[in-house]
Tab-separated table of all heavy atoms in Angstrom:
chain	number	residue	atom	x	y	z
S	130	PHE	N	86.451	89.152	91.552
S	130	PHE	CA	85.309	88.771	92.379
S	130	PHE	C	84.865	89.965	93.226
S	130	PHE	O	85.660	90.857	93.532
S	130	PHE	CB	85.662	87.591	93.289
S	130	PHE	CG	86.898	87.801	94.128
S	130	PHE	CD1	86.816	88.359	95.403
S	130	PHE	CD2	88.152	87.450	93.636
S	130	PHE	CE1	87.955	88.558	96.160
S	130	PHE	CE2	89.301	87.652	94.406
S	130	PHE	CZ	89.199	88.209	95.664
S	131	PRO	N	83.568	89.998	93.604
S	131	PRO	CA	83.074	91.082	94.456
S	131	PRO	C	83.408	90.822	95.912
S	131	PRO	O	83.551	89.681	96.338
S	131	PRO	CB	81.553	91.034	94.222
S	131	PRO	CG	81.281	89.599	93.917
S	131	PRO	CD	82.484	89.101	93.161
S	132	VAL	N	83.532	91.911	96.680
S	132	VAL	CA	83.764	91.811	98.119
S	132	VAL	C	82.726	92.683	98.827
S	132	VAL	O	82.782	93.902	98.724
S	132	VAL	CB	85.179	92.294	98.492
S	132	VAL	CG1	85.402	92.163	99.988
S	132	VAL	CG2	86.238	91.524	97.718
S	133	PRO	N	81.737	92.096	99.510
S	133	PRO	CA	81.530	90.649	99.664
S	133	PRO	C	80.730	90.084	98.504
S	133	PRO	O	80.312	90.819	97.605
S	133	PRO	CB	80.707	90.581	100.959
S	133	PRO	CG	79.865	91.829	100.891
S	133	PRO	CD	80.760	92.881	100.280
S	134	PHE	N	80.499	88.753	98.521
S	134	PHE	CA	79.597	88.146	97.554
S	134	PHE	C	78.175	88.606	97.870
S	134	PHE	O	77.773	88.662	99.029
S	134	PHE	CB	79.654	86.612	97.633
S	134	PHE	CG	80.895	86.027	97.024
S	134	PHE	CD1	81.718	85.187	97.760
S	134	PHE	CD2	81.240	86.295	95.716
S	134	PHE	CE1	82.868	84.631	97.213
S	134	PHE	CE2	82.394	85.760	95.140
S	134	PHE	CZ	83.201	84.929	95.897
S	135	ILE	N	77.387	88.924	96.822
S	135	ILE	CA	76.014	89.367	97.018
S	135	ILE	C	75.089	88.555	96.122
S	135	ILE	O	75.539	87.832	95.241
S	135	ILE	CB	75.859	90.865	96.674
S	135	ILE	CG1	76.267	91.115	95.211
S	135	ILE	CG2	76.659	91.732	97.623
S	135	ILE	CD1	75.962	92.499	94.714
S	136	GLY	N	73.788	88.698	96.373
S	136	GLY	CA	72.822	88.015	95.527
S	136	GLY	C	72.726	86.539	95.817
S	136	GLY	O	73.142	86.047	96.869
S	137	GLN	N	72.198	85.807	94.855
S	137	GLN	CA	71.926	84.386	95.023
S	137	GLN	C	73.092	83.500	94.612
S	137	GLN	O	73.031	82.283	94.763
S	137	GLN	CB	70.689	84.006	94.195
S	137	GLN	CG	69.434	84.777	94.578
S	137	GLN	CD	69.069	84.611	96.037
S	137	GLN	OE1	69.040	83.489	96.554
S	137	GLN	NE2	68.795	85.707	96.719
S	138	LYS	N	74.173	84.096	94.064
S	138	LYS	CA	75.309	83.310	93.602
S	138	LYS	C	76.604	83.938	94.078
S	138	LYS	O	76.677	85.138	94.348
S	138	LYS	CB	75.322	83.216	92.072
S	138	LYS	CG	74.098	82.550	91.467
S	138	LYS	CD	74.167	82.578	89.951
S	138	LYS	CE	72.936	81.945	89.316
S	138	LYS	NZ	72.978	82.007	87.840
S	139	ARG	N	77.653	83.109	94.162
S	139	ARG	CA	79.011	83.592	94.405
S	139	ARG	C	79.726	83.547	93.058
S	139	ARG	O	80.204	82.500	92.644
S	139	ARG	CB	79.710	82.700	95.427
S	139	ARG	CG	79.073	82.712	96.809
S	139	ARG	CD	79.656	81.630	97.703
S	139	ARG	NE	79.182	80.294	97.334
S	139	ARG	CZ	79.699	79.161	97.805
S	139	ARG	NH1	80.732	79.190	98.615
S	139	ARG	NH2	79.194	78.001	97.445
S	140	GLU	N	79.763	84.677	92.371
S	140	GLU	CA	80.264	84.689	90.998
S	140	GLU	C	81.678	85.259	90.921
S	140	GLU	O	81.975	86.308	91.491
S	140	GLU	CB	79.330	85.514	90.112
S	140	GLU	CG	77.931	84.915	89.995
S	140	GLU	CD	77.061	85.660	89.018
S	140	GLU	OE1	76.394	86.608	89.449
S	140	GLU	OE2	77.044	85.294	87.826
S	141	VAL	N	82.538	84.564	90.181
S	141	VAL	CA	83.892	85.038	89.928
S	141	VAL	C	84.196	84.894	88.439
S	141	VAL	O	83.582	84.093	87.735
S	141	VAL	CB	84.945	84.258	90.743
S	141	VAL	CG1	84.634	84.315	92.229
S	141	VAL	CG2	85.036	82.807	90.294
S	142	GLU	N	85.147	85.688	87.974
S	142	GLU	CA	85.627	85.587	86.590
S	142	GLU	C	87.076	85.124	86.618
S	142	GLU	O	87.855	85.576	87.461
S	142	GLU	CB	85.531	86.939	85.886
S	142	GLU	CG	84.118	87.469	85.727
S	142	GLU	CD	84.109	88.829	85.056
S	142	GLU	OE1	84.965	89.063	84.170
S	142	GLU	OE2	83.274	89.662	85.437
S	143	LEU	N	87.414	84.241	85.692
S	143	LEU	CA	88.778	83.712	85.654
S	143	LEU	C	89.318	83.732	84.240
S	143	LEU	O	88.634	83.364	83.292
S	143	LEU	CB	88.803	82.269	86.181
S	143	LEU	CG	90.143	81.533	86.066
S	143	LEU	CD1	91.173	82.152	87.017
S	143	LEU	CD2	89.978	80.052	86.363
S	144	MET	N	90.549	84.170	84.127
S	144	MET	CA	91.283	84.050	82.871
S	144	MET	C	92.613	83.406	83.201
S	144	MET	O	93.410	83.983	83.938
S	144	MET	CB	91.491	85.419	82.218
S	144	MET	CG	92.252	85.338	80.891
S	144	MET	SD	91.449	84.239	79.669
S	144	MET	CE	89.942	85.153	79.348
S	145	GLY	N	92.828	82.189	82.681
S	145	GLY	CA	94.047	81.455	82.989
S	145	GLY	C	93.718	80.124	83.619
S	145	GLY	O	92.810	79.419	83.173
S	146	GLU	N	94.440	79.774	84.679
S	146	GLU	CA	94.232	78.483	85.321
S	146	GLU	C	94.174	78.662	86.833
S	146	GLU	O	94.948	79.426	87.415
S	146	GLU	CB	95.360	77.513	84.968
S	146	GLU	CG	95.178	76.113	85.564
S	146	GLU	CD	96.208	75.108	85.059
S	146	GLU	OE1	97.257	75.545	84.550
S	146	GLU	OE2	95.962	73.883	85.175
S	147	ALA	N	93.256	77.928	87.468
S	147	ALA	CA	93.140	77.990	88.920
S	147	ALA	C	92.618	76.670	89.465
S	147	ALA	O	91.824	75.987	88.818
S	147	ALA	CB	92.216	79.128	89.343
S	148	TYR	N	93.094	76.353	90.659
S	148	TYR	CA	92.570	75.195	91.395
S	148	TYR	C	91.747	75.737	92.557
S	148	TYR	O	92.198	76.607	93.300
S	148	TYR	CB	93.706	74.325	91.918
S	148	TYR	CG	93.245	73.192	92.804
S	148	TYR	CD1	92.620	72.068	92.261
S	148	TYR	CD2	93.416	73.243	94.181
S	148	TYR	CE1	92.183	71.031	93.069
S	148	TYR	CE2	92.991	72.204	95.001
S	148	TYR	CZ	92.372	71.106	94.433
S	148	TYR	OH	91.933	70.088	95.237
S	149	PHE	N	90.513	75.235	92.693
S	149	PHE	CA	89.587	75.754	93.701
S	149	PHE	C	89.249	74.699	94.746
S	149	PHE	O	89.048	73.527	94.414
S	149	PHE	CB	88.275	76.193	93.041
S	149	PHE	CG	88.393	77.391	92.152
S	149	PHE	CD1	88.648	77.244	90.790
S	149	PHE	CD2	88.232	78.672	92.657
S	149	PHE	CE1	88.751	78.346	89.958
S	149	PHE	CE2	88.342	79.783	91.829
S	149	PHE	CZ	88.598	79.619	90.481
S	150	GLU	N	89.184	75.139	95.986
S	150	GLU	CA	88.573	74.372	97.070
S	150	GLU	C	87.427	75.232	97.586
S	150	GLU	O	87.642	76.179	98.354
S	150	GLU	CB	89.586	74.057	98.168
S	150	GLU	CG	90.642	73.040	97.723
S	150	GLU	CD	91.618	72.659	98.831
S	150	GLU	OE1	91.547	73.276	99.919
S	150	GLU	OE2	92.441	71.758	98.593
S	151	VAL	N	86.213	74.893	97.144
S	151	VAL	CA	85.052	75.751	97.353
S	151	VAL	C	84.371	75.450	98.689
S	151	VAL	O	84.073	74.298	99.000
S	151	VAL	CB	84.045	75.596	96.200
S	151	VAL	CG1	82.817	76.486	96.431
S	151	VAL	CG2	84.703	75.939	94.865
S	152	THR	N	84.103	76.484	99.458
S	152	THR	CA	83.358	76.347	100.708
S	152	THR	C	81.910	75.975	100.398
S	152	THR	O	81.247	76.675	99.619
S	152	THR	CB	83.381	77.667	101.497
S	152	THR	OG1	84.724	77.992	101.822
S	152	THR	CG2	82.555	77.559	102.766
S	153	PRO	N	81.385	74.884	100.969
S	153	PRO	CA	80.013	74.451	100.663
S	153	PRO	C	78.971	75.482	101.086
S	153	PRO	O	79.071	76.090	102.141
S	153	PRO	CB	79.849	73.167	101.471
S	153	PRO	CG	81.244	72.697	101.746
S	153	PRO	CD	82.068	73.934	101.872
S	154	ASN	N	77.980	75.693	100.225
S	154	ASN	CA	76.837	76.545	100.537
S	154	ASN	C	75.714	76.196	99.560
S	154	ASN	O	75.692	76.673	98.425
S	154	ASN	CB	77.194	78.030	100.423
S	154	ASN	CG	76.071	78.938	100.888
S	154	ASN	OD1	74.905	78.532	100.956
S	154	ASN	ND2	76.399	80.171	101.215
S	155	LYS	N	74.802	75.336	99.997
S	155	LYS	CA	73.731	74.863	99.112
S	155	LYS	C	72.803	75.983	98.679
S	155	LYS	O	72.173	75.897	97.621
S	155	LYS	CB	72.930	73.757	99.811
S	155	LYS	CG	73.714	72.483	100.050
S	155	LYS	CD	72.838	71.421	100.697
S	155	LYS	CE	73.632	70.127	100.911
S	155	LYS	NZ	72.803	69.073	101.552
S	156	GLU	N	72.711	77.021	99.497
S	156	GLU	CA	71.801	78.121	99.178
S	156	GLU	C	72.426	79.126	98.207
S	156	GLU	O	71.709	79.942	97.633
S	156	GLU	CB	71.395	78.850	100.467
S	156	GLU	CG	70.771	77.951	101.524
S	156	GLU	CD	69.514	77.265	101.027
S	156	GLU	OE1	68.755	77.906	100.281
S	156	GLU	OE2	69.301	76.094	101.388
S	157	LYS	N	73.730	79.054	98.029
S	157	LYS	CA	74.409	80.063	97.212
S	157	LYS	C	75.491	79.409	96.367
S	157	LYS	O	76.650	79.298	96.777
S	157	LYS	CB	75.025	81.117	98.136
S	157	LYS	CG	75.238	82.473	97.496
S	157	LYS	CD	75.499	83.504	98.577
S	157	LYS	CE	75.534	84.897	97.958
S	157	LYS	NZ	75.678	85.937	98.999
S	158	PRO	N	75.152	78.939	95.166
S	158	PRO	CA	76.126	78.245	94.311
S	158	PRO	C	77.327	79.133	93.980
S	158	PRO	O	77.226	80.353	93.921
S	158	PRO	CB	75.319	77.921	93.048
S	158	PRO	CG	73.896	77.975	93.473
S	158	PRO	CD	73.829	79.017	94.548
S	159	PHE	N	78.454	78.471	93.744
S	159	PHE	CA	79.696	79.133	93.347
S	159	PHE	C	79.807	79.022	91.836
S	159	PHE	O	79.759	77.918	91.288
S	159	PHE	CB	80.879	78.445	94.031
S	159	PHE	CG	82.182	79.169	93.878
S	159	PHE	CD1	82.563	80.155	94.771
S	159	PHE	CD2	83.049	78.847	92.837
S	159	PHE	CE1	83.777	80.810	94.641
S	159	PHE	CE2	84.254	79.498	92.689
S	159	PHE	CZ	84.626	80.488	93.606
S	160	VAL	N	79.924	80.143	91.147
S	160	VAL	CA	79.893	80.164	89.679
S	160	VAL	C	81.163	80.812	89.146
S	160	VAL	O	81.524	81.919	89.552
S	160	VAL	CB	78.660	80.917	89.156
S	160	VAL	CG1	78.664	80.954	87.632
S	160	VAL	CG2	77.376	80.275	89.669
S	161	ILE	N	81.827	80.109	88.223
S	161	ILE	CA	83.022	80.637	87.562
S	161	ILE	C	82.717	80.811	86.081
S	161	ILE	O	82.197	79.899	85.435
S	161	ILE	CB	84.215	79.682	87.705
S	161	ILE	CG1	84.496	79.403	89.175
S	161	ILE	CG2	85.458	80.261	87.035
S	161	ILE	CD1	85.480	78.286	89.372
S	162	THR	N	83.040	81.968	85.541
S	162	THR	CA	82.876	82.195	84.110
S	162	THR	C	84.227	82.528	83.497
S	162	THR	O	85.063	83.194	84.103
S	162	THR	CB	81.894	83.347	83.819
S	162	THR	OG1	82.357	84.537	84.464
S	162	THR	CG2	80.505	83.006	84.330
S	163	SER	N	84.427	82.038	82.261
S	163	SER	CA	85.652	82.313	81.520
S	163	SER	C	85.365	82.079	80.050
S	163	SER	O	84.854	81.024	79.674
S	163	SER	CB	86.780	81.398	81.994
S	163	SER	OG	87.977	81.691	81.315
S	164	ASP	N	85.674	83.060	79.221
S	164	ASP	CA	85.296	82.988	77.807
S	164	ASP	C	83.791	82.725	77.733
S	164	ASP	O	83.005	83.468	78.291
S	164	ASP	CB	86.081	81.896	77.078
S	164	ASP	CG	87.549	82.266	76.930
S	164	ASP	OD1	87.833	83.457	76.771
S	164	ASP	OD2	88.403	81.365	76.977
S	165	GLU	N	83.406	81.648	77.078
S	165	GLU	CA	81.985	81.299	76.965
S	165	GLU	C	81.645	80.085	77.810
S	165	GLU	O	80.588	79.481	77.624
S	165	GLU	CB	81.635	81.013	75.495
S	165	GLU	CG	81.934	82.168	74.544
S	165	GLU	CD	81.158	83.421	74.909
S	165	GLU	OE1	79.986	83.301	75.321
S	165	GLU	OE2	81.731	84.520	74.799
S	166	ALA	N	82.507	79.734	78.736
S	166	ALA	CA	82.270	78.564	79.593
S	166	ALA	C	81.895	79.015	80.994
S	166	ALA	O	82.360	80.053	81.479
S	166	ALA	CB	83.489	77.667	79.632
S	167	LYS	N	81.055	78.209	81.652
S	167	LYS	CA	80.625	78.516	83.016
S	167	LYS	C	80.576	77.237	83.831
S	167	LYS	O	80.070	76.219	83.375
S	167	LYS	CB	79.254	79.189	83.002
S	167	LYS	CG	78.757	79.573	84.396
S	167	LYS	CD	77.511	80.434	84.335
S	167	LYS	CE	76.304	79.668	83.893
S	167	LYS	NZ	75.067	80.471	83.992
S	168	VAL	N	81.122	77.297	85.038
S	168	VAL	CA	81.104	76.164	85.957
S	168	VAL	C	80.311	76.568	87.192
S	168	VAL	O	80.539	77.628	87.777
S	168	VAL	CB	82.537	75.764	86.362
S	168	VAL	CG1	82.516	74.879	87.595
S	168	VAL	CG2	83.227	75.030	85.215
S	169	THR	N	79.362	75.720	87.585
S	169	THR	CA	78.547	75.974	88.775
S	169	THR	C	78.746	74.838	89.765
S	169	THR	O	78.611	73.668	89.412
S	169	THR	CB	77.058	76.082	88.414
S	169	THR	OG1	76.878	77.129	87.451
S	169	THR	CG2	76.219	76.388	89.647
S	170	VAL	N	79.059	75.186	91.021
S	170	VAL	CA	79.299	74.174	92.055
S	170	VAL	C	78.639	74.616	93.353
S	170	VAL	O	78.306	75.787	93.537
S	170	VAL	CB	80.803	73.949	92.294
S	170	VAL	CG1	81.505	73.532	91.038
S	170	VAL	CG2	81.451	75.206	92.866
Side-chain angles (χ1 to χ4, degrees):
F130 53 91
V132 181
F134 285 125
I135 59 171
Q137 301 303 312
K138 299 177 181 178
R139 296 170 286 168
E140 296 186 271
V141 304
E142 296 178 35
L143 174 69
M144 180 57 66
E146 182 172 19
Y148 174 74
F149 292 92
E150 290 183 354
V151 179
T152 299
N154 186 340
K155 293 182 179 180
E156 304 300 323
K157 205 165 187 175
F159 189 88
V160 179
I161 303 169
T162 57
S163 182
D164 290 326
E165 302 300 322
K167 182 171 71 173
V168 164
T169 302
V170 302

